[in-house]
Amino acid sequence: MLSRLLKEHHAKQNERKELQGETRVKKVSCCVFNSRVAQAYVNQRKLDHEVKTLQVQASQFSKQTAQWISMVEGFNQALKEIGDVENWARSIEMDMRTIATALEYVHKGPLTSASS
């Protein structure tokens, strides 16, 4: 009878140890899971911060690009105007040469040009 009680006692202790082991495993796995969840939350916050930073930088870059485009368009317009002025100057120069040639012709007369 004593040996039977001893065996039962050992069996109950083994059961309790197994239950405690399972409980420990559950607690440890719960802690590991919570740790992973906490790390995922921290990573998500970092990503959110990075996204906001990138959005601000993209907005600034967009504004700066718009300014550059505006400057280039202004420069292009100025070049066109310079080209127009240059073309106008050539046209005036050709007209002046034509007038100068006509005046020389009138001043010298047709006889002097034929004898040269």
Side-chain angles (χ1 to χ4, degrees):
M1 176 141 172
L2 188 57
S3 69
R4 189 184 69 171
L5 284 174
L6 187 62
K7 284 182 183 178
E8 287 176 9
H9 176 69
H10 285 299
K12 285 182 182 180
Q13 277 186 337
N14 286 337
E15 284 178 28
R16 283 186 197 140
K17 284 181 183 178
E18 286 178 18
L19 285 174
Q20 285 177 348
E22 289 175 10
T23 304
R24 284 183 188 153
V25 168
K26 286 180 184 177
K27 286 181 180 178
V28 168
S29 65
C30 183
C31 289
V32 168
F33 178 75
N34 285 340
S35 173
R36 289 182 180 165
V37 168
Q39 186 61 41
Y41 178 74
V42 168
N43 289 342
Q44 183 64 37
R45 286 186 54 130
K46 286 180 183 177
L47 286 173
D48 289 342
H49 182 267
E50 288 294 323
V51 166
K52 288 178 184 177
T53 303
L54 286 174
Q55 286 174 338
V56 168
Q57 289 175 346
S59 175
Q60 289 173 345
F61 180 70
S62 177
K63 288 177 185 177
Q64 188 176 27
T65 302
Q67 289 175 343
W68 289 345
I69 288 172
S70 176
M71 288 173 55
V72 168
E73 287 174 352
F75 181 71
N76 193 27
Q77 184 62 33
L79 284 177
K80 285 181 183 178
E81 290 173 5
I82 289 172
D84 290 345
V85 169
E86 185 179 2
N87 189 30
W88 174 79
R90 282 189 196 143
S91 184
I92 294 293
E93 183 181 9
M94 289 294 285
D95 289 347
M96 295 303 284
R97 284 187 183 171
T98 304
I99 291 170
T101 304
L103 287 174
E104 282 181 29
Y105 180 76
V106 168
H107 180 68
K108 290 182 181 180
L111 297 176
T112 48
S113 62
S115 62
S116 341

